[in-house]
Each structure stands twice: as structure tokens, then as C-alpha cells.
Amino acid sequence: MVTFVDRVVLHATGGDGGHGCASIHREKFKPLAGPDGGNGGNGGSVIIEVDPQVTTLLDYHHSPHRHAPSGTQGMGDHRSGSTGVDLVLGVPDGTVVKSPDGTVLADLVGVGAHYVAASGGRGGLGNAALASQRRKAPGFALLGEPGTEQDIVLELKTIADVALVGYPSAGKSSLVAAISAARPKIADYPFTTLVPNLGVVQAGGARYTVADVPGLIPGASEGRGLGLEFLRHIERCAVLVHVLDCATLEPDRDPLSDLEDIEAELRTYAGDLTIEGGRVPLLDRPQIVVLNKIDVPEARELAELVKPDLEARGFRVFEVSTASHEGLRLLTYALGEIVDKARRDAPAPENTRVVLRPKAVDDAGFTVTRREVEGQGVYYWVRGEKPERWVRQTDFTNDEAVGYLADRLARLGVEEKLFAAGAVAGDEVRIGPEHNAVVFDWEPTLMTGSEFLGGPRGVDLRIEDRSRPTRGEKRQEYKERMDAKTEAREELWTEREAGVWTDAAKE
């Protein structure tokens, strides 16, 4: 059964906004009480937040699909819909949020750090909010926007002060168990450690954490063994401890060659340099070499033999035994001094900068692109935050709502851009993303504004094409009607004189 998960793919969906309400106030002796439709509630957002009580991503491994509550619909009597509650997902400290293609979206370090994975949709306005001096009683309301969707990758990178690295069965787990209260699994076969272990060490007045990751083997940075899966857990560590096995029984291994192999893998491993704690290359951080298992006589002799060579390379070398605890006290105090110095030398956290990106003077907020499709002709593609949001909020079953959308687009300048791009009446226009665009045949707006609307509520006369006849057309229609009546009378008189209407009973 899976008990430790440090990488999951999360499918987050924000809540949908509630629809606005189209309602007219009805009360005795108040026939013109006006609109009273309330606004729809906003949908909830999915928020990733650091929680000190969470230590693994196991919950999201079993339930990767998370959906925030939606807002409710507005009602009459100016009653707005309720807002959907934000869905806050707790993650361990040190979690990195990435896009599916590997782009870092957020580095969550510190309690309270959060990232909005999926925003909730806006609630639609009711007809009370849409009323104006020219539009006294709108017969429509705006629809709520759907919540955004996003697939993100959560990666846990353990925040520890000291990282233990080395070959499998080098004694890393035994070392953590000997210097801390952690009790990892220990056995006499390789790859006993399948998940990272974390222990807290108290050395005098120093207190620091030690991370033990699964053993590394040559080729780990390329995916061999388990090292690649968990090397991310040492990216934030301030000190690296090379645990070398001096009692190995493999003939082609010795402490010096083991150290060279591990250094090569760490040098090849490419961490996320844009993440806090990962800017300094691994091999440029303070490093200590631990020669383990000196309780074995042959191992002690080998440790004394290779120690001068290691010190000549610039390493501080400690000979220890996790079985007899020899040398562990000196090691823990030395690590405490190095960690304390690293903490003092760490740069002070900078205040979060507020970056202002003003809108360009010539930025209209949307674009109009002319596209040619072979065999299908030409169409014009409109992209922009406002036009796409207005289209999502429009109820296309209501003519007045469609007319309101046409007015908004005309005021924004979409029609002017279409004219400039060469569009003519009847051309195909698409608004929105290519896979889900609203397609219509463009008819330039000749008159806009609700002051020209005189039809029933919920009806836009421009859409129904009820043009008012001119005086000349009325005269022509009257003349044709009179001529038709005269012609009918003459036909009836002719038939009467011809005896067509003679009563046979009287004859």
C-alpha cells in the first residue's frame, strides 16, 4: 500500500458562477415597481496552501480531481445568490507547483504560502443591476461564468538542513536512527529505504533536521535505481553528507570510487535552479564525508588508509560506527556548527515586490484576426478577455440579451476593428477560443442603444427585423389596396349582370 507520495497530478476546477435573475417586482397598487432580479453568487476557487499538519501528498494520489463549490442563482426581491466557499487544499511545506510541461508556477515555502490553482467564475448580474435610465426594465439577466480548469503537478521537496547521500546499504538509515528519534526500516539488503526519511537532531544548543534518501547508484541521474525519484529532496538542504561504506564486500568498490560515483551523479542531476534553495549547485555546498562501519576491524583499517586522501581533497572526514555509536557525538556537533553558520549566512528574505504592469495606450483589450481556411473561405477571429467573458454571460435564447451583447461589442470598438480588417456584412465572425468559439454571420449595427427598443420585454426588434415603413411605402400600399377593391367590385357587377347570381328557385 502506498504510504508516501511526493509527486501527484492534480486536476483542479473552480466553481461556476450563479446566473442572474430576471424578475419584475409585483405588488398591489404598484404596477410599475421595476426590476428586482438579484445577482448570482461567485464560484469558489481551488487554493493550494501550506499546512504544517500535512506531511505527504497521499490524499491527492487517491483523489486527484478536486472541484470547488459553485455559486447559487440570484432570486427576485433583490436577493443575491450565495458565494461558493473556496476549496483550500493543504500541502506540506516545500511543495512545488508545476504545469504539466514542467514550468514552475509556485514554490510554496513557509506556513500560509498559497497558490490559486483554479479561479471560480463570476456570478451573472440580475436585471436590477442592468437597469438604467434608458433601459428601465430589462427582460434578461447575465449568465454566470464557468470556473477555470487547470492540471497541475505537485512535487514535494523536503526542507531539511542536512542530506545523507551514498550507495545502497551504506548505513544512511542506521545513521539517522542513531542520531535522532526517527526509526526507518533497516535491513541487510540493498534499497531497503524506498522513501525519504526525516529525523530531528539535538546537538547541544543546535537543532536541525536530517534527510535520508534512497541509495544512489551509477546512472541515477538518468533514471537508474530509485535515486532520481528522490534526488529532489536534497535540493533545499544546506549540507551534504557522503556516507561511505568501509565494510563493503563487493570487490570493485572502495570509499574513494564510491565518492567519485556519487559526485558524478550529483553533478549531472539538474535541479530546479529557479526555486529557493536550489540556486546553489549541489557540489558547491558544504560537504562532509562519513566513513561508516568502523566497528569492523577491516573497515577501520580501510578508513585510516583513505582518510588522508579525502582530507587532501578538502573534505572534513569523520569515522563513525552506527552499531557502537563511536564518533557520532563529534559528527552531530560538527553538523550543528555548519548548519548554524549556513543559517547566519543565508540572505535575509526580501519583501514581496508589487509589480505594476499598466495597460498600453494603444491596447484595445482584444484582437481581430483575418483567417483563410482552404475550401471554407474567410472568417474573422476575435480574441480578448472582455468579448469572451461577455459571450459566456449571454443567454442566446433571449433576443434582448443578444442585442445587449451587440451594443457592448459596438461600444468596445469590435465593429470598427472588423471594418478595418476588411469584413463586410454576412462574413463569418468567431469570438472565443478556437475549440469553443461562438460563430455568427456579422451584420453591422446601424443603430444601437436601448432608446430605440420598443418591443415586448425580452425582444430586440433589431434581431426580428421589423423595419418601419416610410410614408411613400404607406401611400403605395394604400393605392394598391384601393385598386384591388375597385377591381373586385367591377368583377362582381359584371357577374351579376351576366346572371351568375340568379336565384334558381324564383325561376
Side-chain angles (χ1 to χ4, degrees):
M1 178 180 178
V2 179
T3 58
F4 180 87
V5 176
D6 64 347
R7 187 182 188 278
V8 296
V9 178
L10 186 68
H11 310 279
T13 305
D16 299 334
H19 300 329
C21 176
S23 173
I24 300 298
H25 185 70
R26 291 174 175 83
E27 187 176 348
K28 191 175 182 181
F29 305 122
K30 291 185 179 181
L32 302 176
D36 65 349
N39 302 332
N42 297 330
S45 301
V46 179
I47 302 176
I48 311 297
E49 185 175 12
V50 173
D51 186 349
Q53 304 300 323
V54 180
T55 59
T56 179
L57 303 175
L58 182 62
D59 291 344
Y60 312 120
H61 173 75
H62 295 302
S63 302
H65 296 271
R66 299 302 176 102
H67 195 299
S70 300
T72 60
Q73 184 175 354
M75 295 172 285
D77 199 16
H78 300 281
R79 291 175 294 175
S80 298
S82 60
T83 300
V85 180
D86 292 337
L87 179 61
V88 181
L89 304 179
V91 295
D93 194 3
T95 301
V96 179
V97 183
K98 295 183 177 182
S99 62
D101 59 359
T103 303
V104 178
L105 303 176
D107 182 19
L108 305 180
V109 178
V111 178
H114 64 277
Y115 170 75
V116 180
S119 302
R122 297 184 183 182
L125 297 179
N127 64 341
L130 297 174
S132 63
Q133 291 295 330
R134 300 182 182 278
R135 186 181 289 104
K136 300 291 186 180
F140 67 98
L142 298 185
L143 304 179
E145 292 186 75
T148 60
E149 298 182 8
Q150 184 177 204
D151 293 343
I152 58 176
V153 179
L154 301 180
E155 286 188 356
L156 174 59
K157 298 191 177 182
T158 304
I159 298 181
D161 300 304
V162 179
L164 304 182
V165 295
Y167 263 77
S169 298
K172 300 184 299 298
S173 299
S174 300
L175 182 58
V176 171
I179 64 178
S180 70
R183 291 296 176 263
K185 181 180 179 181
I186 300 174
D188 58 351
Y189 54 85
F191 296 110
T192 306
T193 303
L194 300 178
V195 298
N197 299 307
L198 198 65
V200 180
V201 181
Q202 185 76 38
R207 184 184 179 90
Y208 54 90
T209 55
V210 179
D212 164 34
V213 298
L216 301 177
I217 60 175
S221 60
E222 300 175 357
R224 293 188 61 192
L226 298 176
L228 180 65
E229 291 294 325
F230 301 106
L231 274 177
R232 67 174 69 96
H233 292 275
I234 68 175
E235 286 186 10
R236 303 184 191 274
C237 298
V239 184
L240 295 181
V241 177
H242 297 275
V243 182
L244 304 180
D245 186 1
C246 292
T248 179
L249 299 178
E250 300 181 23
D252 56 343
R253 284 182 51 194
D254 61 81
L256 294 179
S257 62
D258 288 357
L259 177 61
E260 293 174 356
D261 292 340
I262 298 304
E263 284 184 328
E265 295 305 320
L266 295 180
R267 189 179 298 108
T268 306
Y269 175 69
D272 294 318
L273 301 181
T274 59
I275 297 177
E276 187 68 27
R279 294 191 177 94
V280 179
L282 293 177
L283 295 182
D284 291 347
R285 304 177 191 180
Q287 300 181 59
I288 287 180
V289 173
V290 172
L291 300 175
N292 195 16
K293 303 181 182 180
I294 63 172
D295 55 290
V296 179
E298 294 81 2
R300 184 183 295 271
E301 295 177 2
L302 181 58
E304 295 175 353
L305 180 63
V306 300
K307 182 176 181 180
D309 293 337
L310 294 173
E311 291 177 342
R313 298 185 183 185
F315 293 106
R316 294 183 61 180
V317 183
F318 295 86
E319 301 178 17
V320 303
S321 170
T322 57
S324 62
H325 286 206
E326 180 181 350
L328 294 183
R329 183 178 179 84
L330 182 61
L331 173 63
T332 56
Y333 275 85
L335 289 175
E337 294 176 1
I338 298 175
V339 170
D340 185 60
K341 182 179 183 302
R343 291 173 179 172
R344 292 196 307 268
D345 296 342
E350 298 180 357
N351 295 329
T352 303
R353 295 183 178 181
V354 179
V355 181
L356 300 179
R357 295 182 175 86
K359 182 180 177 181
V361 177
D362 57 347
D363 185 8
F366 65 93
T367 59
V368 176
T369 307
R370 185 179 185 272
R371 289 196 171 189
E372 295 184 9
V373 181
E374 186 176 355
Q376 299 181 8
V378 178
Y379 71 90
Y380 295 85
W381 192 19
V382 179
R383 294 302 309 269
E385 180 184 357
K386 285 186 177 180
E388 294 180 23
R389 185 176 76 245
W390 293 345
V391 165
R392 290 193 299 266
Q393 293 178 329
T394 301
D395 179 10
F396 287 94
T397 62
N398 188 302
D399 291 346
E400 190 177 353
V402 177
Y404 179 69
L405 171 64
D407 293 342
R408 299 177 84 179
L409 294 176
R411 287 194 299 268
L412 186 63
V414 174
E415 292 198 346
E416 295 179 2
K417 289 277 188 177
L418 288 172
F419 275 121
V424 297
D427 284 347
E428 180 180 319
V429 177
R430 302 181 184 181
I431 301 179
E434 194 167 4
H435 64 279
N436 190 25
V438 175
V439 183
F440 60 92
D441 294 334
W442 182 50
E443 290 295 338
T445 301
L446 300 180
M447 57 178 183
T448 61
S450 59
E451 64 273 14
F452 297 105
L453 304 181
R457 184 174 297 114
V459 175
D460 192 321
L461 298 182
R462 295 169 299 175
I463 299 176
E464 296 191 3
D465 191 21
R466 293 183 178 179
S467 56
R468 185 175 179 179
T470 62
R471 181 175 298 180
E473 293 175 345
K474 290 182 178 180
R475 289 178 177 176
Q476 181 66 25
E477 181 183 359
Y478 177 78
K479 182 178 179 180
E480 292 177 356
R481 187 166 58 251
M482 292 297 102
D483 292 344
K485 288 183 178 180
T486 302
E487 184 179 354
R489 290 194 189 96
E490 293 177 354
E491 183 179 356
L492 291 175
W493 182 257
T494 303
E495 292 178 353
R496 184 174 180 179
E497 289 183 343
V500 176
W501 289 0
T502 303
D503 190 355
K506 295 180 178 181
E507 295 178 357

